[in-house]
Amino acid sequence: MAQLSEATGVTVPSIKFYLREGLLAAGERTSANQASYGDEHVARLRFIRALIDVGGLSVATAGEVLAAVDTPDMPLSYVFGVAQRSISDTTLFAAVDPATDGTRAADALIERMGWHVHPENPGRQGVARVLDTLARLDRTDIFSDLDEYARAAEIVARADLASVARRGEVGDMAETVVVGTVLGDALVSALRRIAQEHVSFELFPAPPTAHEGIEPC
Amino acid sequence: MAQLSEATGVTVPSIKFYLREGLLAAGERTSANQASYGDEHVARLRFIRALIDVGGLSVATAGEVLAAVDTPDMPLSYVFGVAQRSISDTTLFAAVDPATDGTRAADALIERMGWHVHPENPGRQGVARVLDTLARLDRTDIFSDLDEYARAAEIVARADLASVARRGEVGDMAETVVVGTVLGDALVSALRRIAQEHVSFELFPAPPTAHEGIEPC
């Protein structure tokens, strides 16, 4: 276990915790207090740490995601759903019921984009919830060009699925979906932050202060 | 306070909690156990709930974000940073030091895109961390078309900044930045989920099972 810790940079107490919580399979016992761990343990530990450290998942949520990946015959769309919900423990993806203005705006957007999706798609609920929230804040000026966001999302999804399609074996595909979904949101969020800085320097060469633009009384 | 609760759907205990934590300003006291609340309290409560319920922030993190919005003369770039970091309490945006392969790949991407950003941009650190994580997982096949993700991020950032630029007054701009950043990540994540379903049905008309693609021994 000390060697496993050294190979992965994960502390022995953390490894013991993951073993106890069922995230990591036990090693092959070689004596009363020794077990042998293989490359698959190293790979699994790195996967666990990627979900927790970079994806920001809790240990419990990482466990649920790993269980979905480990279950044989799990449809890929289900693994997608588990991975997506795991990223956010907010109410973002819960069903919006009954239909609201946000739901209708989300459906109109889906139709404009020519997208084919089930009504239960959690993303549809998420979009509806964001739009309803903006309406309550009286800030429908934000994201007013919703089609641009949708166009960007389709570019991301095509790049996502191209990665999945390159993998032949489905067990591997499930892991690809999880890594891609969890780290993909982190990647897009990070890239958005860089692009925002670049575009904001284009638009506001000097940082505006609180005094600019306020009309004198 | 009962009326404020009714107008916003936020429970009285929650309102009392936000008052105690300083997220919400006290009402104007009208008698020993009565206070008067105005439209600004209603708007503020809706803002708080948007950050917590839809953005997924903790009460403590929502408090930090609101403090940044409330501080006069706060440069917009700083508000951006606080809002961005608030979304994720992972180590995603912490500095990557010393430079890694991920940092070099992030810098090469930034140069290919023609983006002008400070080296301390948290997004640059985030991209580096995601790429380093993929390398450790031996899964550099994921996000291999990084330029497509960057192209999508620039479309999102231009739409983001167009919203900000439409607002004249900076206090308002800070709120726009926060709402846009926190809800924007939720929006993009939700749209990505819809687009993934659409594109995956295009590519895999029937959901693949664990048996497909596995070569017989």
Side-chain angles (χ1 to χ4, degrees):
Chain A
M1 196 180 285
Q3 284 170 335
L4 185 60
S5 169
E6 204 168 298
T8 57
V10 180
T11 64
V12 169
S14 290
I15 294 174
K16 286 184 176 169
F17 183 59
Y18 301 147
L19 284 166
R20 212 159 52 227
E21 296 289 316
L23 276 68
L24 185 69
E28 201 181 325
R29 194 151 289 284
T30 51
S31 76
N33 56 4
Q34 286 242 311
S36 147
Y37 297 92
D39 288 346
E40 71 281 11
H41 288 91
V42 172
R44 178 70 163 209
L45 262 180
R46 289 188 175 140
F47 189 23
I48 294 169
R49 296 306 295 213
L51 295 177
I52 294 173
D53 290 346
V54 183
L57 305 195
S58 67
V59 172
T61 308
E64 288 166 28
V65 169
L66 290 166
V69 171
D70 293 342
T71 308
D73 295 309
M74 188 69 88
L76 210 55
S77 56
Y78 182 85
V79 178
F80 254 123
V82 171
Q84 186 66 31
R85 277 188 296 275
S86 74
I87 299 167
S88 174
D89 50 2
T90 68
T91 50
L92 178 63
F93 295 111
V96 171
D97 189 50
T100 60
D101 286 347
T103 319
R104 281 181 284 274
D107 287 342
L109 175 68
I110 288 167
E111 198 175 324
R112 281 199 304 280
M113 296 301 294
W115 286 343
H116 293 96
V117 284
H118 290 110
E120 314 83 53
N121 182 295
R124 174 177 171 264
Q125 318 288 349
V127 170
R129 186 159 277 112
V130 168
L131 297 180
D132 284 333
T133 302
L134 288 178
R136 267 196 304 279
L137 294 173
D138 201 15
R139 297 303 301 271
T140 48
D141 56 306
I142 299 178
F143 313 137
S144 55
D145 203 350
L146 207 52
D147 294 32
E148 284 297 284
Y149 289 89
R151 193 160 73 84
E154 186 166 327
I155 292 171
V156 168
R158 287 199 184 279
D160 289 339
L161 270 292
S163 294
V164 176
R166 269 195 297 273
R167 310 296 291 196
E169 194 241 302
V170 168
D172 220 1
M173 281 171 76
E175 194 182 293
T176 303
V177 163
V178 167
V179 174
T181 303
V182 174
L183 296 195
D185 270 19
L187 178 69
V188 173
S189 166
L191 286 170
R192 181 178 177 229
R193 180 79 189 91
I194 303 174
Q196 278 177 338
E197 182 182 323
H198 170 69
V199 177
S200 73
F201 279 122
E202 271 186 11
L203 291 176
F204 310 103
T209 73
H211 300 301
E212 278 176 23
I214 301 180
E215 295 295 320
C217 306
Chain B
M1 196 181 284
Q3 284 169 336
L4 185 61
S5 170
E6 204 169 298
T8 58
V10 180
T11 63
V12 169
S14 290
I15 294 174
K16 285 184 177 169
F17 182 60
Y18 300 147
L19 284 166
R20 211 159 53 228
E21 296 289 315
L23 276 67
L24 184 69
E28 202 181 326
R29 194 151 287 286
T30 51
S31 76
N33 57 2
Q34 285 242 309
S36 147
Y37 297 92
D39 288 347
E40 72 280 12
H41 287 91
V42 172
R44 179 68 162 211
L45 262 179
R46 289 189 175 139
F47 190 23
I48 294 169
R49 296 306 295 211
L51 295 177
I52 294 172
D53 290 346
V54 183
L57 306 194
S58 67
V59 171
T61 308
E64 288 166 26
V65 170
L66 290 167
V69 172
D70 293 341
T71 308
D73 296 310
M74 188 69 87
L76 209 56
S77 56
Y78 182 84
V79 178
F80 254 122
V82 171
Q84 186 67 30
R85 277 189 296 275
S86 75
I87 299 168
S88 172
D89 51 2
T90 68
T91 50
L92 178 64
F93 294 111
V96 171
D97 189 48
T100 60
D101 286 347
T103 319
R104 281 180 285 273
D107 287 342
L109 175 67
I110 288 167
E111 197 175 324
R112 282 199 304 281
M113 296 301 294
W115 286 343
H116 292 96
V117 284
H118 289 110
E120 314 83 53
N121 183 295
R124 175 178 172 264
Q125 318 287 348
V127 170
R129 187 159 275 109
V130 168
L131 298 179
D132 285 332
T133 301
L134 289 178
R136 267 197 302 279
L137 293 172
D138 201 16
R139 298 303 302 269
T140 46
D141 57 304
I142 300 179
F143 313 136
S144 55
D145 203 350
L146 207 52
D147 295 31
E148 284 297 285
Y149 289 89
R151 195 160 73 83
E154 187 167 328
I155 292 171
V156 168
R158 288 198 185 280
D160 289 340
L161 270 292
S163 294
V164 175
R166 270 195 297 273
R167 310 298 290 197
E169 194 240 301
V170 169
D172 219 1
M173 280 171 77
E175 195 183 290
T176 303
V177 164
V178 167
V179 174
T181 302
V182 174
L183 295 195
D185 269 18
L187 178 69
V188 173
S189 167
L191 286 170
R192 182 179 176 229
R193 180 79 190 92
I194 302 175
Q196 278 176 339
E197 183 182 322
H198 170 68
V199 176
S200 73
F201 279 121
E202 271 187 11
L203 291 177
F204 308 105
T209 72
H211 300 301
E212 277 176 22
I214 300 180
E215 294 297 319
C217 306

